[in-house]
Amino acid sequence: MDALSERIERIESRLEIGQLPIRYAMAVDSRDVDTWLSLFVPEVRVGRDSYGREALRGYIEPALRSFRRSLHQICGHRVELLTADTARGATYCRAEHE
C-alpha cells in the first residue's frame, strides 16, 4: 500500500470511529435499543458476571423507561490509531435526562 492510500485509510478510520459516540447518542435518545446494542462487541461484559448483548439489553431497557426523554450532546473527539486494526479514544458527552 502506498503512502497516500495509507493516509486515506487512516482518515477514513478516524471518521468512522468518530461516528460511534454519535450513533450511541442517537440510538439512546430515539430509544432504538437494537441499534444501541449493535455498537457493542457481542461478548460485552455487563456487571461482574454477565456477558453478551442480551444481558446488556436487560440492563438498558429498564433504564430507558425510567426517564421520559434524553438528550446527549457529543463533542471533543480524540482518536488514536495504534495499529492497523486497533485504536483508542475518548469523547465528551453531556447527557440530559427527564
Side-chain angles (χ1 to χ4, degrees):
M1 185 178 294
D2 63 31
L4 180 58
S5 295
E6 286 179 22
R7 288 177 56 204
I8 291 170
E9 186 172 315
R10 291 176 64 83
I11 290 167
E12 290 174 340
S13 294
R14 285 178 185 272
L15 290 171
E16 186 65 26
I17 292 167
Q19 291 296 305
L20 286 172
I22 296 165
R23 288 187 185 116
Y24 177 101
M26 292 179 77
V28 170
D29 292 344
S30 67
R31 306 300 188 264
D32 184 349
V33 175
D34 290 329
T35 295
W36 185 79
L37 290 171
S38 75
L39 301 175
F40 293 85
V41 295
E43 66 278 359
V44 60
R45 183 175 178 179
V46 183
R48 290 185 181 186
D49 300 318
S50 297
Y51 295 87
R53 290 179 178 154
E54 288 309 306
L56 188 56
R57 180 188 302 276
Y59 168 79
I60 192 61
E61 284 183 328
L64 287 175
R65 285 193 294 272
S66 71
F67 45 86
R68 198 167 57 121
R69 83 176 114 198
S70 63
L71 173 66
H72 289 76
Q73 181 180 7
I74 305 296
C75 61
H77 299 284
R78 179 182 51 80
V79 176
E80 297 174 65
L81 301 176
L82 303 174
T83 68
D85 55 353
T86 306
R88 70 175 165 214
T91 190
Y92 289 105
C93 175
R94 178 185 170 123
E96 297 180 26
H97 302 111
E98 271 185 24

